[in-house]
Amino acid sequence: MHHSESHSIPNLRRLEEICDVRHMLCRDDMMWVLHYVQQKVAQGDPALLELPKPRLLRNFQYFGEVSILLLKRPGTSYLEQDNIRSCLMEAMHGLIPVNPILSSS
């Protein structure tokens, strides 16, 4: 995926959905975020390269946390949604537009 495609309309829509607290996260959402971050790293995304080392370590910490959550749990409960969403957002920090939500008007 070319850098300009990483913020394509389908990706922005998916990010909007994942960021929306009304959306019940599922394993597919978690896998999508892990793949999105992995692609950014593989591409050497300039936004990633601009992050300070402590922030990169924090992104990696949450990337790992999401990975462990996927391995440990077959599904996600309603009570875990905030924690999972927070981990996903931390793993993508600096790699997504500040406001990924698309205008619906």
Side-chain angles (χ1 to χ4, degrees):
M1 174 172 22
H2 187 272
H3 175 70
S4 64
E5 294 174 2
S6 64
H7 292 155
S8 67
I9 296 298
N11 281 348
L12 288 174
R13 289 193 193 286
R14 186 68 185 261
L15 288 168
E16 175 187 41
E17 185 176 82
I18 290 168
C19 293
D20 186 348
V21 295
R22 297 168 296 183
H23 172 70
M24 283 294 289
L25 294 168
C26 63
R27 291 179 61 79
D28 190 52
D29 294 325
M30 297 165 74
M31 291 294 297
W32 188 90
V33 168
L34 292 176
H35 183 69
Y36 181 84
V37 172
Q38 182 273 329
Q39 284 184 328
K40 294 286 194 172
V41 171
Q43 294 168 359
D45 189 290
L48 183 66
L49 298 173
E50 292 174 7
L51 293 174
K53 286 184 182 181
R55 182 64 244 188
L56 282 173
L57 288 174
R58 190 164 181 188
N59 283 32
F60 182 71
Q61 172 190 349
Y62 284 98
F63 184 93
E65 183 71 26
V66 172
S67 300
I68 295 299
L69 287 171
L70 277 170
L71 292 172
K72 290 172 74 175
R73 293 179 174 80
T76 62
S77 74
Y78 179 76
L79 297 174
E80 296 175 302
Q81 291 291 305
D82 287 341
N83 180 49
I84 293 168
R85 193 175 322 279
S86 176
C87 288
L88 294 174
M89 299 307 293
E90 288 290 339
M92 293 188 292
H93 180 87
L95 302 176
I96 59 174
V98 175
N99 186 5
I101 300 172
L102 299 171
S103 172
S104 58
S105 50

